[in-house]
Amino acid sequence: MNDVKEGEKAPDFSMPVSDGRTVSLADVKGKSLVLYFYPKDNTKGCTVEAIAFSALADEFASAGAIVIGVSPDTLESHARFEKKHDLTVLLGSDEDHAVAQAYGVWKEKNMYGRKFMGIERSTFLLSPDGTVRRVWRKVKVDGHAEAVLAALRDEA
């Protein structure tokens, strides 16, 4: 388990995304990348977050960034999630948790006295050269997509 820090080289990854491709870190070289990790499709906070990033998708693109939401859900689940909420950001399927583990966000969680492994809501802003520019951990959803966009623009 790696705790990825700002200024480090981003861990490489490869995962299927909702448009049918498999995306790796090398595929996005030359563009900024926003990787936001969320626990589960169609849950309240995750839906609000995905809608917020989708609402700002054109602005992220104008700032030279690709946005990928990452969860352990299947591509089929992502397709239903996208359709139900008119999402426009890419969604990555990390069913084996390899990407979440590489970024240090696959953690033990505790809910209602039950312990289980899951995604700690976190976001990573990667620069075009693959360096980690900003890290947000234990993200609170309200205003988060806007904060990430502001950070992208500040450092452009």
Side-chain angles (χ1 to χ4, degrees), residues 55-104:
L56 296 172
D58 289 344
E59 293 181 59
F60 277 102
S62 294
I66 297 167
V67 178
I68 303 176
V70 182
S71 82
D73 296 296
T74 63
L75 287 177
E76 293 77 18
S77 175
H78 284 340
R80 290 190 300 272
F81 187 38
E82 283 179 329
K83 186 173 179 171
K84 183 175 181 181
H85 300 288
D86 294 321
L87 303 178
T88 57
V89 294
L90 285 172
L91 299 177
S93 178
D94 187 27
E95 289 184 77
D96 63 1
H97 320 125
V99 182
Q101 287 175 341
Y103 281 79

Side-chain angles (χ1 to χ4, degrees), residues 6 10 16-17 20 27 46-47 54 56 97 104 123 129 131 148-150 155:
E6 293 175 7
V17 293
D27 294 331
C46 299
T47 300
S54 289
L56 296 172
H97 320 125
T123 300
D129 68 0
T131 303
V148 175
L149 181 60
E155 298 175 22

